[in-house]
Amino acid sequence: MADTNVSPVMHDAEHYILEVQHRERWAAEDKDIDTRLEALRKEHGGAPNIIHIMWDDTAFGDIGIPALAAIRGFETPNLDRMRDEGIMFTRLYSENACTPSRAAVITGRHPVRTGMGIVDWPLGFGGLRGDEVTTAEVLSGEGYATAFYSKWHLGDIEESWPHFHGFDEAFFLPYNQVSSIWNPVGDVANIAPGSAHMRKDNVHELDEHGLRPDGMVMVIDGKKSEYSREWGAPDVETYSKVDAESEQRMMAFIDKNAADEKPFFVSYWPNMLGFIPSQEPKATLNAGGLAESLKRLDGFIGELMDKLTELGIAENTLLVCMADNGPMIHNPPSLLGMIDTIFRGGKGDFLEGGVRVPGFAWWPGTIAPGQFVNDIVHEVDLFTTFARVGGGTGNIPTDRVIDGVDQTSMLFNGDGYSRRDYVFIYSGDQLGATVKGRYKRHWITEGQDTGTSPVFFDLITDPRESMAQLVPLIWSSGQFDRMLARHLLWKERYPDHEKGRGVPFTGIENARPETLAIGDTLEQLRKELPFDPLEFIGFTMPDEFRASLRTDGVD
Amino acid sequence: MADTNVSPVMHDAEHYILEVQHRERWAAEDKDIDTRLEALRKEHGGAPNIIHIMWDDTAFGDIGIPALAAIRGFETPNLDRMRDEGIMFTRLYSENACTPSRAAVITGRHPVRTGMGIVDWPLGFGGLRGDEVTTAEVLSGEGYATAFYSKWHLGDIEESWPHFHGFDEAFFLPYNQVSSIWNPVGDVANIAPGSAHMRKDNVHELDEHGLRPDGMVMVIDGKKSEYSREWGAPDVETYSKVDAESEQRMMAFIDKNAADEKPFFVSYWPNMLGFIPSQEPKATLNAGGLAESLKRLDGFIGELMDKLTELGIAENTLLVCMADNGPMIHNPPSLLGMIDTIFRGGKGDFLEGGVRVPGFAWWPGTIAPGQFVNDIVHEVDLFTTFARVGGGTGNIPTDRVIDGVDQTSMLFNGDGYSRRDYVFIYSGDQLGATVKGRYKRHWITEGQDTGTSPVFFDLITDPRESMAQLVPLIWSSGQFDRMLARHLLWKERYPDHEKGRGVPFTGIENARPETLAIGDTLEQLRKELPFDPLEFIGFTMPDEFRASLRTDGVD
């Protein structure tokens, strides 16, 4: 297997099956891509800028399809413009929930490998491990200026934060949106009554700490090697300001680096302003929190494209916009107006509806306009592709499996140039399904917790996975078994990691007393308890309880 | 209510609620439409030609949405061209199965009123009543040449046939596609084993007639006031020729009338060549019977548009293409590759998936190009609209309720100009649901046969009708109750008819002995049985058995 033509990046086993078959064609394409990238560098005086925008919980079909926009009662003209001027993906796969998806796209690894397969909650006492390598680290190594804005959702420990992972600037939420309403202020307890338990006047609740993380920090303003500071309070008012602040900082960052002629990488994963309860007049006929948020975000994306054009850097900037996972159809979503539109299932599912997301790529002059790419692409591929585009493939660590493959040829050459025809779909740390070409095999059977009766679907004639097929399963069963065996063999050779663990919110300059108390309390408890509370932090849930983690629903 | 401004066509009660509110605007639009129609007549020397193409069992979303075409593995470039050059409807409602849909579109009346609400099977001993009035009769009265081709599916009695209902030429199937395989030849019994019972060598079957309609006629070639002839045999070979023969006749008919400068009306409701088992190499990646049929039909629609353009009559021809109902997802459809794509449900359901169909309208120079019409339009509206366009509104009978409303303003002026914001959705002869604006109230609760717990949906935030809503139901319950009351009041005043009944296949010049035997056998049985077998023909199924008729599935 190990041969001089094999890429130094260590891929999952399946990739080598394809590499052996397509080595010569790919080598020819790569040579051409190198020439074109080099020409671009000469023309623009530096490496291409890369901007990645990724938002929550949107069904494929809700964006970029005008007939559906009419039916769903909201429009996204600027994302439609990205489609008309670039690529609209029709088989872009994500992980099935926020934390796993974010971990995947920024490390190029399925989150089961990094211990990030399950949604991270306050207080999680953990997050992305310090030794995982992100796109920001890979591109920083090539001289990129890097910035992260808004919903990180990859952990509450310092080592997991973006400015400890290669981002020069980081203005971010360590958790998800819920932290804004689950706060001691109780400012929206009338519509989210459960959040009232943050009050301390309930005599029946004896535990001061367990369910009341009142030292929780919602927004952190960080600078690499310089500082971490809490920004605002954990309340609805602060929440409502995060995206506008992020966008202002992002535009300033772009202006500055364009002026300095320095290549930049920006990840903006918005907080979705419409997700919090508000009395504002609605701007869409749909009026749900998702539609309202997307309309707002779409406006910003239009401003961003205009700015890149005005600055004269549009032709040297790759912009990728996408959702992080399917709609939150489990755990009552009606307030947000989320619904599966074309594919069955939503957030937390390994059905297509959970993981097949809307996505667009725009790079005027390099990506040809008006394309549909119906190739299979997975969000982990953005890690490897951004590395290649930025000249940083050599900075990718070679001691671990990288699930992402280099899709630069697909960007440059369009539909039919993907370097994968398969994808492994996890739900938490369980392998839910495997897709190969038009076929999908479920390893977990819905309604059952064990995979004794795998079901099999043809995604072309049955995109909603509603009619299990026997005949093609007979035909392809051996192939799927071998894919599984190879995948598991590779996992045996390169075992999954646990996530990072530790005391949350250390190192914050302006930490509040109740934030500092989290660590102090742990220290105190360690002295007084008949066990070490930090052992609980490393606690791994036994298999028989894991099914409950599969469909997380709330981001 | 009766006032000189009220249209002489008798509408359902609900229409008058809107007419009272919009009388002045509509009158102004109508005046403008009259002027424009008159100018067109002057320009082209005659009334506009009208072509209606309607095919089977296609989910909204399967056609006209490029991203979905990629996902579903088949393309329809000519229907896409209709979309780009005309209107794509996003809220076009049909009835929920073949016979009801065909009866509705050709009479302008919900089929519950004409006794045609339930799919017509061989041998049905019945069909569309002779006293129902079709579009062909309305337009014949204005000097149109009229022709019908392929799948009529409106009955086996003479009075129900197209050349007895105003069509000058009729080349048609009285039943659906199944008659081609359910034949005494047994030519595909190996893949449709049930059809083997048409053989007479099973000693356990005592009844020679009941389950073996071997005198059944599959294709009839008819000419108004001249003849009816059987065409070919009821077998797969004849089936495979019907659409090609239809298209050849249709093109000749168009050529002739264009040369004669005579306005024409053509209904072509194809037989869908791909629905029968075939060993032909497949032309689409999808390869299902539906996709293969649509690809073939799409090619013909392209040829048709080209011909109209070449003949110089495109600007004087209204072309409407649509599906008759949703996909056949009940009654195993996997061979045909039918699946609900965006809306939940399929053929036979009162869910949106059963009745919200793809549709396009094209009339260069009159219909503005590249429009989505998101207004509610129902197929019954084509009856009234075609009448108006052809100057035949005065030929519409005024002694019965016409459910169709005149949508000429929507064709001329586009989205927002529909004259309905409601629709009543039947399933068989039961009212399944009522839609008003964005809301839909189910009168029959799924899984229950009585409407004791109506459920309520917001079709904008929940197009798949998957999350019942309480709050808007509270708000609008009275309105929906009143709509129901008005609708039922009108039905009490103008009761529903039974369908036409009689002996099938009379008057066929070249009738086979076994076809003639159907009537002879009935006469003989009448003499020998202790009851009149023709009383069974008039038999109406009691209510408690009717639920079994609701989801017919097979067309």
Side-chain angles (χ1 to χ4, degrees):
Chain A
M1 183 63 72
D3 140 335
T4 51
N5 286 317
V6 171
S7 157
V9 171
M10 190 199 304
H11 292 290
D12 194 13
E14 201 57 28
H15 181 72
Y16 296 100
I17 299 287
L18 303 182
E19 187 165 289
V20 164
Q21 297 176 61
H22 298 283
R23 189 177 285 151
E24 284 170 31
R25 175 165 75 87
W26 291 358
E29 287 167 22
D30 285 341
K31 203 174 152 192
D32 175 58
I33 289 166
D34 285 340
T35 309
R36 288 168 70 180
L37 279 172
E38 187 52 37
L40 276 168
R41 279 194 189 232
K42 274 196 186 137
E43 185 183 344
H44 297 286
N49 309 302
I50 300 170
I51 302 174
H52 181 235
I53 297 179
M54 186 166 80
W55 62 85
D56 292 89
D57 302 359
T58 303
F60 178 88
D62 270 358
I63 300 174
I65 297 182
L68 278 173
I71 290 165
R72 297 278 286 128
F74 68 98
E75 292 182 341
T76 52
N78 295 296
L79 287 162
D80 291 357
R81 183 184 151 201
M82 281 189 74
R83 175 202 63 207
D84 291 340
E85 297 178 5
I87 289 170
M88 174 170 168
F89 296 101
T90 56
R91 293 193 79 178
L92 173 59
Y93 286 90
S94 66
E95 302 294 328
N96 75 356
C98 286
T99 297
S101 181
R102 284 147 211 264
V105 80
I106 207 72
T107 66
R109 284 153 59 79
H110 286 311
V112 67
R113 303 194 196 277
T114 62
M116 300 299 286
I118 289 166
V119 174
D120 207 55
W121 308 111
L123 292 172
F125 293 83
L128 189 68
R129 290 163 67 102
D131 60 5
E132 294 296 338
V133 174
T134 72
T135 303
E137 286 162 311
V138 165
L139 294 176
S140 289
E142 299 303 309
Y144 273 69
T146 55
F148 181 87
Y149 301 106
S150 206
K151 185 180 163 183
W152 179 245
H153 200 182
L154 288 174
D156 53 20
I157 55 175
E158 267 186 287
E159 70 179 270
S160 71
W161 295 345
H163 54 305
F164 286 77
H165 267 292
F167 286 100
D168 302 326
E169 293 191 12
F171 177 77
F172 68 101
L173 287 81
Y175 303 134
N176 72 349
Q177 291 91 342
V178 169
S179 57
S180 68
I181 55 174
W182 221 264
N183 62 59
V185 185
D187 46 4
V188 289
N190 59 330
I191 51 172
S195 65
H197 85 82
M198 295 290 291
R199 292 168 50 163
K200 300 202 172 176
D201 54 0
N202 184 338
V203 295
H204 309 295
E205 294 189 351
L206 301 179
D207 185 352
E208 288 285 312
H209 312 294
L211 289 175
R212 290 196 196 100
D214 53 6
M216 185 183 72
V217 174
M218 190 167 80
V219 184
I220 296 171
D221 183 6
K223 196 146 195 169
K224 191 196 279 182
S225 312
E226 293 190 28
Y227 60 79
S228 307
R229 293 178 190 139
E230 181 171 25
W231 190 87
D235 59 18
V236 170
E237 192 191 339
T238 299
Y239 180 101
S240 71
K241 294 176 179 165
V242 168
D243 280 352
E245 177 73 18
S246 291
E247 291 163 10
Q248 196 181 3
R249 291 182 182 216
M250 178 170 169
M251 292 302 211
F253 177 84
I254 290 171
D255 279 333
K256 180 177 184 309
N257 287 291
D260 295 350
E261 296 188 346
K262 183 166 184 177
F264 59 82
F265 169 62
V266 179
S267 286
Y268 173 37
W269 299 346
N271 213 20
M272 304 295 268
L273 183 63
F275 281 21
I276 49 166
S278 141
Q279 306 291 332
E280 292 294 307
K282 298 300 176 272
T284 67
L285 196 60
N286 181 296
L290 177 66
E292 292 286 313
S293 295
L294 286 173
K295 184 180 166 67
R296 189 193 170 285
L297 177 61
D298 181 77
F300 172 72
I301 290 169
E303 288 168 27
L304 176 64
M305 289 193 287
D306 289 345
K307 172 170 280 288
L308 296 170
T309 305
E310 283 157 24
L311 291 172
I313 57 174
E315 301 207 338
N316 199 36
T317 302
L318 166 60
L319 171 63
V320 174
C321 296
M322 61 185 286
D324 65 346
N325 46 248
M328 190 165 63
I329 59 169
H330 311 295
N331 302 304
S334 55
L335 287 175
L336 297 176
M338 291 175 183
I339 197 76
D340 59 341
T341 304
I342 293 169
F343 300 113
R344 187 162 65 93
K347 184 169 196 167
D349 296 331
F350 55 83
L351 294 164
E352 297 288 287
V355 294
R356 202 152 154 184
V357 291
F360 306 86
W362 182 82
W363 187 353
T366 293
I367 292 178
Q371 301 181 64
F372 290 103
V373 166
N374 198 36
D375 283 318
I376 295 178
V377 178
H378 192 284
E379 62 177 332
V380 289
D381 300 345
L382 293 181
F383 174 83
T384 17
T385 306
F386 290 170
R388 171 76 179 282
V389 165
T393 305
N395 302 332
I396 295 175
T398 56
D399 62 346
R400 64 198 75 185
V401 176
I402 302 294
D403 295 289
V405 302
D406 175 16
Q407 297 284 25
T408 311
S409 181
M410 178 274 297
L411 291 182
F412 277 57
N413 300 311
D415 195 30
Y417 287 84
S418 171
R419 293 194 177 172
R420 68 159 76 232
D421 61 1
Y422 66 91
V423 70
F424 291 95
I425 303 174
Y426 276 83
S427 185
D429 57 3
Q430 294 190 287
L431 182 62
T434 300
V435 173
K436 178 86 168 174
R438 70 191 286 161
Y439 292 119
K440 180 169 184 177
R441 184 160 171 179
H442 289 195
W443 301 109
I444 300 168
T445 304
E446 284 182 282
Q448 292 186 261
D449 287 330
T450 53
T452 50
S453 317
V455 284
F456 192 83
F457 299 96
D458 175 353
L459 295 176
I460 287 182
T461 57
D462 179 23
R464 289 187 66 80
E465 295 160 273
S466 57
M467 297 186 297
Q469 301 289 324
L470 177 62
V471 174
L473 172 61
I474 293 170
W475 155 260
S476 62
S477 186
Q479 166 68 7
F480 275 84
D481 288 350
R482 287 190 296 279
M483 288 176 71
L484 178 63
R486 289 193 283 263
H487 182 66
L488 295 179
L489 170 73
W490 229 236
K491 286 186 74 163
E492 207 172 280
R493 282 201 205 163
Y494 306 97
D496 297 340
H497 290 166
E498 283 295 311
K499 71 196 291 188
R501 299 285 183 178
V503 174
F505 304 121
T506 55
I508 295 180
E509 280 183 13
N510 58 345
R512 285 172 283 137
E514 54 270 37
T515 302
L516 294 170
I518 298 170
D520 294 344
T521 304
L522 264 177
E523 275 312 302
Q524 192 58 36
L525 286 171
R526 176 176 270 163
K527 286 178 202 151
E528 297 180 12
L529 288 173
F531 50 81
D532 182 348
L534 285 181
E535 285 177 14
F536 272 91
I537 293 173
F539 171 76
T540 299
M541 192 169 286
D543 281 351
E544 61 267 37
F545 298 99
R546 291 203 162 254
S548 72
L549 299 175
R550 274 203 283 117
T551 304
D552 293 298
V554 183
D555 52 328
Chain B
M1 185 62 77
D3 140 337
T4 51
N5 286 317
V6 172
S7 157
V9 171
M10 192 200 302
H11 292 291
D12 195 12
E14 200 58 28
H15 181 72
Y16 297 99
I17 299 287
L18 303 181
E19 187 165 289
V20 163
Q21 297 177 61
H22 298 283
R23 190 176 285 153
E24 284 171 31
R25 176 164 74 87
W26 291 358
E29 287 167 23
D30 285 340
K31 202 175 152 190
D32 175 57
I33 289 166
D34 286 339
T35 308
R36 289 168 69 181
L37 280 172
E38 188 51 37
L40 276 168
R41 279 195 189 230
K42 275 196 186 136
E43 186 183 342
H44 298 285
N49 309 302
I50 300 170
I51 302 174
H52 180 235
I53 297 180
M54 186 167 79
W55 61 84
D56 292 89
D57 303 355
T58 303
F60 178 87
D62 270 359
I63 299 174
I65 297 182
L68 277 173
I71 289 165
R72 298 277 286 128
F74 68 98
E75 291 182 342
T76 53
N78 295 296
L79 287 163
D80 290 357
R81 183 184 150 201
M82 281 190 73
R83 175 203 63 209
D84 291 341
E85 297 178 6
I87 289 169
M88 173 169 169
F89 296 101
T90 56
R91 292 194 81 179
L92 173 59
Y93 286 89
S94 65
E95 301 294 327
N96 75 357
C98 287
T99 298
S101 181
R102 283 149 212 261
V105 80
I106 207 72
T107 65
R109 284 152 61 77
H110 286 310
V112 67
R113 302 194 195 275
T114 62
M116 301 299 287
I118 290 167
V119 174
D120 207 55
W121 308 111
L123 292 174
F125 292 82
L128 189 67
R129 290 164 67 104
D131 60 5
E132 293 297 337
V133 173
T134 71
T135 303
E137 286 163 310
V138 165
L139 293 176
S140 289
E142 298 304 307
Y144 273 70
T146 54
F148 182 86
Y149 301 107
S150 207
K151 184 180 163 183
W152 179 247
H153 200 182
L154 287 174
D156 52 20
I157 54 174
E158 268 186 286
E159 70 178 271
S160 71
W161 295 344
H163 55 306
F164 287 76
H165 268 292
F167 286 101
D168 302 325
E169 293 190 15
F171 178 77
F172 67 101
L173 287 82
Y175 303 134
N176 73 348
Q177 292 91 343
V178 169
S179 58
S180 68
I181 55 174
W182 219 265
N183 64 57
V185 185
D187 47 2
V188 289
N190 59 329
I191 52 171
S195 65
H197 86 82
M198 294 291 290
R199 292 168 50 162
K200 299 203 172 175
D201 56 359
N202 184 337
V203 296
H204 309 295
E205 295 189 352
L206 300 180
D207 185 353
E208 288 285 311
H209 313 294
L211 289 174
R212 291 194 195 102
D214 53 7
M216 186 183 73
V217 173
M218 190 167 82
V219 185
I220 296 171
D221 184 5
K223 197 147 192 167
K224 190 196 282 182
S225 312
E226 294 190 26
Y227 60 78
S228 306
R229 293 178 191 140
E230 181 171 23
W231 190 86
D235 60 17
V236 170
E237 192 190 341
T238 298
Y239 180 100
S240 70
K241 294 175 177 165
V242 168
D243 280 351
E245 177 73 18
S246 292
E247 290 164 10
Q248 196 181 1
R249 290 182 181 217
M250 178 171 168
M251 293 301 213
F253 176 85
I254 291 171
D255 278 333
K256 180 176 184 308
N257 287 291
D260 295 349
E261 295 189 345
K262 185 166 184 177
F264 59 81
F265 169 62
V266 180
S267 286
Y268 173 36
W269 299 346
N271 213 20
M272 304 295 268
L273 184 63
F275 280 21
I276 48 167
S278 143
Q279 306 291 331
E280 293 293 308
K282 299 298 175 273
T284 67
L285 197 59
N286 181 297
L290 177 67
E292 292 286 313
S293 297
L294 286 173
K295 183 180 167 65
R296 189 194 169 284
L297 176 63
D298 181 78
F300 172 72
I301 290 169
E303 289 168 27
L304 176 64
M305 289 193 288
D306 289 346
K307 173 171 280 287
L308 297 170
T309 305
E310 284 158 22
L311 291 172
I313 58 173
E315 300 207 339
N316 199 37
T317 302
L318 167 60
L319 171 64
V320 174
C321 295
M322 60 184 287
D324 64 346
N325 46 249
M328 190 165 65
I329 59 170
H330 311 295
N331 301 303
S334 54
L335 287 175
L336 296 177
M338 290 175 185
I339 198 76
D340 59 341
T341 305
I342 293 169
F343 300 113
R344 187 162 67 93
K347 185 170 196 164
D349 297 331
F350 54 84
L351 294 164
E352 297 286 289
V355 295
R356 202 152 153 183
V357 291
F360 306 86
W362 182 82
W363 187 353
T366 292
I367 292 177
Q371 300 181 64
F372 290 103
V373 165
N374 198 37
D375 283 318
I376 295 179
V377 178
H378 192 282
E379 62 176 333
V380 288
D381 301 346
L382 294 180
F383 174 83
T384 17
T385 307
F386 289 171
R388 170 76 180 282
V389 165
T393 304
N395 303 331
I396 295 175
T398 55
D399 63 345
R400 63 198 74 184
V401 176
I402 302 294
D403 295 289
V405 302
D406 176 16
Q407 297 285 23
T408 311
S409 182
M410 178 274 297
L411 292 181
F412 278 58
N413 300 311
D415 196 30
Y417 285 85
S418 171
R419 293 193 177 172
R420 68 160 77 233
D421 61 0
Y422 67 92
V423 71
F424 291 95
I425 304 174
Y426 276 82
S427 187
D429 58 3
Q430 294 190 287
L431 182 62
T434 300
V435 173
K436 178 85 168 174
R438 71 192 285 163
Y439 293 120
K440 180 170 184 178
R441 184 161 171 179
H442 290 194
W443 300 109
I444 300 169
T445 303
E446 285 182 281
Q448 292 186 260
D449 287 329
T450 53
T452 50
S453 316
V455 285
F456 192 83
F457 299 96
D458 176 353
L459 294 176
I460 287 182
T461 58
D462 179 23
R464 289 188 66 81
E465 294 158 271
S466 59
M467 298 186 298
Q469 302 289 324
L470 178 62
V471 175
L473 171 61
I474 293 169
W475 154 259
S476 61
S477 186
Q479 166 68 9
F480 275 85
D481 289 349
R482 286 190 295 278
M483 287 176 71
L484 177 63
R486 288 192 283 262
H487 183 65
L488 295 179
L489 171 73
W490 229 236
K491 287 185 74 166
E492 208 172 278
R493 282 201 206 165
Y494 306 97
D496 296 340
H497 291 165
E498 284 294 309
K499 70 196 291 190
R501 299 286 183 179
V503 174
F505 303 122
T506 55
I508 294 180
E509 279 182 14
N510 59 344
R512 284 173 284 137
E514 55 268 38
T515 302
L516 294 170
I518 298 171
D520 295 343
T521 304
L522 265 177
E523 275 311 302
Q524 192 60 38
L525 287 171
R526 176 176 270 166
K527 286 178 201 151
E528 297 180 13
L529 288 173
F531 50 82
D532 181 350
L534 286 181
E535 284 177 15
F536 272 91
I537 295 173
F539 171 75
T540 300
M541 192 169 286
D543 282 352
E544 60 266 38
F545 297 99
R546 291 203 162 255
S548 71
L549 298 176
R550 273 203 283 116
T551 303
D552 293 299
V554 182
D555 53 327

